[in-house]
Amino acid sequence: MDKSLVCNASSKDNDPFGELKIFSGKASKSLASEIGAKLGIDLAQSETKTFSEGNVFVRVLENVRGRDVFIIQGTEYPVNDNFMELLFWIDAFRRASATQVTAVIPFFSYAKGDKKDEPRVSIRARVCADAIEAAGADRVLTMDLHSPQIQGFFKIPVDHLYAMPVLVDYFRKKQIPDLVVASPDVGFGKQAYRYAQMMHTNVVFGNKVRHSHDEKAEMLDIVGEVEGKNVLIVDDFTISGGTLIEMAKACKERGALDIYACVSHGVFSKGSAEKLARSPIKELVLTDTIGHRFEPLAPCCKVISVAGLFAEAIQSIHRRESVSRLFDF
């Protein structure tokens, strides 16, 4: 008999909230392993299979009855496959009688579809939220949603982490003189202002326009002074690097010195590495929320880990403690 399927009473007795189990989907194995290491526990056993016609099969290989389960599964490329796998995991844990199932989604791709800003389009983030709830998740833990109001699409609790403290700490240690924070558009302006507050500097804003869904942006103007300044461009994610590059070029044209950038989610489609390598960006810092890469990163890119933030949040949720201290900038 497989001993992993036998209820271990002693481990449950040692933890008044039930034994903590962390599982990883196919999309987030590296980050999940780091989170487990931060918590001092091994990832629980599971398997995922994709059949020849694309059908996804998941199986839990440990007993989760009465356990507090966290499934770590991002929704980067292939987005739909990874999202469906997440739903299947939630359903499997619910049917296996887990006490609580938390969906840990480091990068929630469909957060970009947060509004109906054109006729006859779907609010995709809302559809995904409904599906996660219908599958049986008790709560969601994610990072840097494209729009914070997406939390309101869920009827279950959502803990929304920010990579900002980790990114700010990195650039503080560099001690870059005459630094200003820049937001490529007003949409990220509030977060850019928080970056500037934490780094005790000023913020400037780009006036960006996107004419279609081709992921190309045009920078019309910059509001604020960048001449003779080092610039840190901040954003929540980048797909092609286009917005960051256009903002960097605009800053250079207005007399800026060195250009730095940071994003929470570096998606990077094919061809982005070459464009970034030829851009004025001296260093682009991103986090490890994305596991899939279409190609090697550009030489200017540096990845820093947010495993510690997720580990703290998971521990707090498991112990029924407040997570709000992680949002206190």
Side-chain angles (χ1 to χ4, degrees), residues 68-307:
D68 192 4
V69 169
F70 291 79
I71 171 63
I72 303 173
Q73 170 75 346
T75 57
E76 67 260 26
Y77 180 88
V79 176
N80 295 334
D81 288 356
N82 287 329
F83 183 73
M84 288 305 298
E85 183 187 331
L86 172 64
L87 299 182
F88 295 152
W89 279 123
I90 295 168
D91 180 65
F93 294 127
R94 179 58 59 212
R95 293 178 186 278
S97 301
T99 297
Q100 176 174 265
V101 180
T102 301
V104 182
I105 312 173
F107 173 57
F108 185 23
S109 178
Y110 277 116
K112 297 188 292 292
D114 63 316
K115 57 189 178 296
K116 187 176 183 293
D117 53 357
E118 299 176 50
R120 300 174 295 281
V121 299
S122 169
I123 304 179
R124 293 163 291 156
R126 175 59 192 268
V127 175
C128 291
D130 289 345
I132 289 168
E133 288 183 14
D138 293 292
R139 63 190 309 128
V140 169
L141 172 62
T142 188
M143 174 168 278
D144 279 297
L145 291 169
H146 186 51
S147 300
Q149 63 264 27
I150 291 172
Q151 296 172 77
F153 291 176
F154 292 86
K155 297 183 182 70
I156 58 176
V158 177
D159 293 302
H160 183 204
L161 300 179
Y162 294 92
M164 188 188 303
V166 176
L167 294 169
V168 166
D169 184 59
Y170 174 84
F171 280 101
R172 271 178 177 165
K173 289 176 180 176
K174 292 179 77 73
Q175 297 183 331
I176 303 168
D178 299 317
L179 184 70
V180 295
V181 170
S183 172
D185 55 46
V186 294
F188 199 70
K190 190 173 182 180
Q191 287 296 89
Y193 180 69
R194 288 175 178 167
Y195 272 94
Q197 277 187 313
M198 291 180 73
M199 302 185 77
H200 306 292
T201 187
N202 298 321
V203 61
V204 301
F205 300 95
N207 181 12
K208 179 184 75 174
V209 62
R210 199 183 299 275
H211 299 289
S212 66
H213 293 289
D214 59 4
E215 297 176 358
K216 293 180 182 178
E218 180 185 354
M219 199 60 59
L220 300 178
D221 197 8
I222 292 178
V223 180
E225 185 59 55
V226 296
E227 186 175 359
K229 304 284 186 180
N230 293 304
V231 178
L232 172 60
I233 305 169
V234 297
D235 212 343
D236 54 347
F237 72 92
T238 183
I239 297 177
S240 65
T243 295
L244 300 178
I245 293 169
E246 289 303 312
M247 184 67 177
K249 288 179 179 177
C251 289
K252 275 291 189 182
E253 289 169 0
R254 289 158 177 77
L257 303 177
D258 289 335
I259 309 292
Y260 301 85
C262 65
V263 294
S264 302
H265 312 297
V267 181
F268 297 132
S269 55
K270 290 180 181 179
S272 59
E274 183 182 352
K275 288 193 295 183
L276 285 166
R278 292 188 278 106
S279 78
I281 298 174
K282 182 176 182 179
E283 185 177 37
L284 169 56
V285 180
L286 53 138
T287 77
D288 54 352
T289 56
I290 304 288
H292 177 272
R293 289 280 175 260
F294 290 96
E295 58 190 12
L297 293 172
C300 64
C301 292
K302 179 180 177 61
V303 180
I304 59 177
S305 182
V306 287

Side-chain angles (χ1 to χ4, degrees), residues 1-122:
M1 183 178 181
D2 188 347
K3 292 183 179 179
S4 70
L5 301 178
V6 178
C7 181
N8 186 338
S10 61
S11 65
K12 290 182 72 178
D13 291 343
N14 291 336
D15 192 335
F17 306 112
E19 185 182 359
L20 171 62
K21 292 273 192 180
I22 296 181
F23 290 82
S24 173
K26 244 171 128 179
S28 302
K29 288 197 176 294
S30 178
L31 177 58
S33 295
E34 286 195 51
I35 292 171
K38 294 283 186 184
L39 292 169
I41 60 177
D42 295 327
L43 294 181
Q45 297 300 304
S46 62
E47 66 173 334
T48 306
K49 293 182 180 179
T50 303
F51 295 108
S52 58
E53 84 281 24
N55 194 306
V56 177
F57 168 85
V58 303
R59 176 159 52 194
V60 183
L61 299 178
E62 296 189 16
N63 181 21
V64 295
R65 184 180 294 273
R67 268 63 167 193
D68 192 4
V69 169
F70 291 79
I71 171 63
I72 303 173
Q73 170 75 346
T75 57
E76 67 260 26
Y77 180 88
V79 176
N80 295 334
D81 288 356
N82 287 329
F83 183 73
M84 288 305 298
E85 183 187 331
L86 172 64
L87 299 182
F88 295 152
W89 279 123
I90 295 168
D91 180 65
F93 294 127
R94 179 58 59 212
R95 293 178 186 278
S97 301
T99 297
Q100 176 174 265
V101 180
T102 301
V104 182
I105 312 173
F107 173 57
F108 185 23
S109 178
Y110 277 116
K112 297 188 292 292
D114 63 316
K115 57 189 178 296
K116 187 176 183 293
D117 53 357
E118 299 176 50
R120 300 174 295 281
V121 299
S122 169

